[in-house]
Amino acid sequence: MKVVSIVIWLIGISLLSGCFIFSPSAGKTNRKYLPNAPYDAIIVPGVPFDGKHWSEAMRNRVQWSSYLYKKGIAKNIIYSGSAVYTEYEEAKIMALYGEALGIPKEHIFTDPRAEHTTENVYYSYRVAKKNGFKKIALATDPFQLNGMRKFIKKFDFPIDLLPIIKDTLLKQDLTEPTIDPSSAKRANFVSIVDRQSKWQRLRGTFGQYICWKEEDLKTKHLRKKYGNRIE
């Protein structure tokens, strides 16, 4: 059983890595999409929080969103992420950091549902539509972003791509601001590790648990394939 789990994870990693290897660089991708700025909103996927300090991944994503906002590239930020591996809702934690970095609270939105990257993208897209945002971009680290190219293309989402440019990020003040994370704690939390097997989590990574709105399934084939998960 352990061998099977390892094989499953290797397959998933190889599929995602393939997307990364054959995808354009972060710089090239930004040069393609930045002329479309300003964006009504950018989507920023979540990262687990340990209750004490942000991780490097969370720091990079929140700092990149702050940079894009302050440069006028993004008008609003949608932070996404449920309480997945720890009791802290990732979207709320990132929102607290974003506000501490100077992003006005009225320009910060959150999606507390997503437990997988595909869900980060889709549920944040729904938040954007609900708030009337038309021009949207996904802003995260290049590996995660490149893994979502196929997903965005498959469902024909009007979402551009703004991957983190490390050299640009390193020129910013990356000091961790002080936040009070208590408001982001999820009551009666149960880790995804205790709720889903590795196989189930891999399926989630590929969007198998998304609850769809019918209007977002734009072809008859997609409506037939995912019709049992339309809410």
Side-chain angles (χ1 to χ4, degrees):
M1 194 63 151
K2 187 174 181 180
V3 174
V4 173
S5 296
I6 292 173
V7 170
I8 290 170
W9 279 107
L10 286 174
I11 291 172
I13 291 171
S14 66
L15 288 172
L16 292 174
S17 298
C19 291
F20 181 75
I21 291 169
F22 297 107
S23 296
S25 67
K28 185 174 181 179
T29 300
N30 273 279
R31 286 193 295 273
K32 176 180 178 180
Y33 290 108
L34 278 176
N36 296 335
Y39 287 92
D40 295 326
I42 56 171
I43 296 167
V44 184
V47 182
F49 180 68
D50 66 5
K52 298 178 181 178
H53 300 286
W54 60 10
S55 63
E56 182 179 354
M58 181 178 285
R59 180 201 71 185
N60 290 350
R61 295 180 195 181
V62 176
Q63 289 280 9
W64 183 241
S65 69
S66 175
Y67 169 81
L68 294 176
Y69 176 82
K70 291 173 182 177
K71 286 291 184 181
I73 296 169
K75 299 177 182 178
N76 298 282
I77 317 295
I78 303 172
Y79 294 115
S80 173
S82 184
V84 186
Y85 290 95
T86 76
E87 63 185 330
Y88 295 93
E89 290 189 8
E90 297 164 8
K92 290 184 179 179
I93 288 292
M94 292 193 299
L96 290 170
Y97 276 121
E99 190 176 355
L101 288 174
I103 303 173
K105 193 171 185 177
E106 61 267 27
H107 293 293
I108 295 176
F109 297 80
T110 59
D111 151 48
R113 295 179 64 182
E115 295 192 327
H116 306 279
T117 305
T118 45
E119 295 171 6
N120 288 138
V121 173
Y122 180 63
Y123 293 146
S124 294
Y125 173 60
R126 292 302 312 176
V127 171
K129 292 187 73 171
K130 181 179 179 180
N131 287 278
F133 301 146
K134 305 294 185 182
K135 295 174 66 177
I136 312 161
L138 174 62
T140 185
D141 40 88
F143 183 85
Q144 184 181 50
L145 182 143
N146 284 321
M148 288 299 99
R149 286 179 186 269
K150 187 175 180 180
F151 176 73
I152 291 170
K153 183 177 181 180
K154 177 180 179 179
F155 293 96
D156 193 25
F157 294 133
I159 299 175
D160 287 355
L161 307 173
L162 296 175
I164 294 168
I165 298 179
K166 198 67 176 288
D167 290 345
T168 301
L169 192 67
L170 291 176
K171 294 176 183 176
Q172 313 309 308
D173 179 2
L174 301 181
T175 304
E176 180 178 6
T178 300
I179 66 166
D180 177 1
S182 59
S183 63
K185 275 190 176 183
R186 172 76 62 85
N188 304 313
F189 169 75
V190 179
S191 170
I192 194 171
V193 175
D194 298 318
R195 293 182 284 108
Q196 294 183 5
S197 66
K198 286 184 178 180
W199 170 244
Q200 289 173 322
R201 298 201 298 276
L202 183 62
R203 284 173 54 82
T205 299
F206 289 99
Q208 295 303 306
Y209 306 130
I210 290 174
C211 294
W212 294 94
K213 293 293 184 181
E214 187 171 4
E215 66 189 36
D216 297 322
L217 299 172
K218 300 173 184 177
T219 68
K220 184 177 180 180
H221 168 73
L222 291 175
R223 288 192 293 273
K224 181 178 180 180
K225 185 174 182 179
Y226 299 102
N228 63 329
R229 285 192 275 114
I230 291 175
E231 62 176 13

